[in-house]
Amino acid sequence: MYERESEQLQSIIDDSSRIVFFGGAGVSTESGIPDFRSADGIYHQQYKYSPEQVVSRSFFLQYPEAFYEFYKDKMMALDAKPNSAHRKLAELETAGKLLAVVTQNIDGLHQAAGSRRVYELHGSIHRNYCMKCGKFYDAQYVKESAGVPRCECGGMIKPDVVLYEEGLDQSVIRGAVQAIAEADTLIIGGTSLVVYPAAGFIDYFSGKHLVVINKSETAKAVRAELTIAAPIGEIMEKIQI
């Protein structure tokens, strides 16, 4: 399946030297990490509080126990491994064809696959800091902590992820926007382009080729040269470098 589309994508990649990949939750679903908005995603599961409530800064500060119960269970997939899409993007970077990965994901799988220039718009589960003294803690410490993870100084630990009501990191924004603006090809994959301001970053692209690989339609209208409605790992693993 998707032979014609895969051939078109191969031709575009062959014609490119400054590719930027902009990805979302659909990139990691093939690694067993649930997304938020698909039919079987987190938003469609029943919890006492909605996911939007739980992953907000005000909820985190007011109900840290409930936050961490949800966060550890649904957002910290520490056993997940990179899939074909992660690995192929790392290969493209090593080959000098990919400038950067811009991701909305917080799982760290792009780096685990070998990608070096990754702009994590929404932070990472692998970075956690004491809100009192700033000491760093890794994801394993947070995952294995009973209840709310605490620093040795007694302060509460907060994951370095962007919660609702929080702004994106300005240096990450600048890097991501500059990479997209410099790209000759932008591949959008595994994202419905619902979450702003991240989805608006693609407006900075003015290069030659725009590709969308996503199982469902994107919410934001983009004039893509090539659109492939398929799992991204299945498509990317066909690419020859």
Side-chain angles (χ1 to χ4, degrees):
M1 293 178 66
Y2 309 112
E3 281 80 8
R4 182 177 60 83
E5 293 93 336
S6 297
E7 287 175 7
Q8 284 182 264
L9 179 60
Q10 181 73 62
S11 177
I12 288 171
I13 288 175
D14 290 344
D15 186 48
S16 307
S17 59
R18 300 188 311 280
I19 300 169
V20 168
F21 179 81
F22 183 96
V27 179
S28 293
T29 52
E30 291 170 74
S31 293
I33 298 177
D35 67 1
F36 270 66
R37 292 180 173 79
S38 68
D40 55 352
I42 289 174
Y43 279 170
H44 294 271
Q45 299 175 24
Q46 296 302 311
Y47 296 99
K48 182 179 179 181
Y49 304 99
S50 72
E52 289 102 332
Q53 283 180 287
V54 177
V55 294
S56 67
R57 182 174 180 83
S58 55
F59 188 95
F60 167 75
L61 294 174
Q62 192 170 0
Y63 306 107
E65 295 86 358
F67 170 88
Y68 268 112
E69 182 180 0
F70 177 90
Y71 178 76
K72 293 178 188 179
D73 183 40
K74 294 297 178 184
M75 300 179 73
M76 297 192 77
L78 300 189
D79 294 330
K81 298 290 188 288
N83 60 50
S84 300
H86 298 108
R87 292 191 293 271
K88 190 62 67 173
L89 290 166
E91 289 175 25
L92 284 166
E93 183 181 15
T94 299
K97 294 185 73 71
L98 185 127
L99 279 180
V101 169
V102 180
T103 181
Q104 299 173 81
N105 297 339
I106 60 174
D107 50 48
L109 291 181
H110 285 293
Q111 291 92 329
S115 290
R116 294 180 298 278
R117 193 178 179 192
V118 181
Y119 295 104
E120 296 174 306
L121 298 178
H122 297 150
S124 172
I125 63 171
H126 296 285
R127 298 187 299 269
N128 306 273
Y129 299 95
C130 172
M131 297 180 73
K132 186 176 179 182
C133 74
K135 183 176 179 180
F136 170 86
Y137 289 89
D138 64 16
Q140 204 70 43
Y141 179 89
V142 171
K143 182 85 167 180
E144 294 174 357
S145 296
V148 178
R150 295 277 175 182
C151 177
E152 57 188 23
C153 79
M156 183 165 68
I157 295 170
K158 181 187 181 296
D160 186 20
V161 299
V162 179
L163 304 177
Y164 287 113
E165 305 163 357
E166 294 181 332
L168 305 189
D169 181 278
Q170 290 302 307
S171 63
V172 174
I173 290 176
R174 285 192 296 271
V177 166
Q178 182 177 350
I180 292 170
E182 293 175 354
D184 59 6
T185 293
L186 179 63
I187 301 175
I188 300 169
T191 176
S192 54
L193 296 178
V194 167
V195 178
Y196 280 81
F201 289 1
I202 66 172
D203 293 337
Y204 291 93
F205 176 68
S206 59
K208 188 175 181 181
H209 303 292
L210 178 57
V211 178
V212 173
I213 308 171
N214 197 50
K215 289 197 289 186
S216 60
E217 285 189 30
T218 59
K220 181 180 174 68
V222 294
R223 292 190 294 273
E225 173 184 345
L226 174 63
T227 300
I228 308 175
I232 188 164
E234 183 179 336
I235 299 301
M236 293 300 290
E237 69 180 354
K238 300 175 186 289
I239 297 302
Q240 302 295 314
I241 301 173

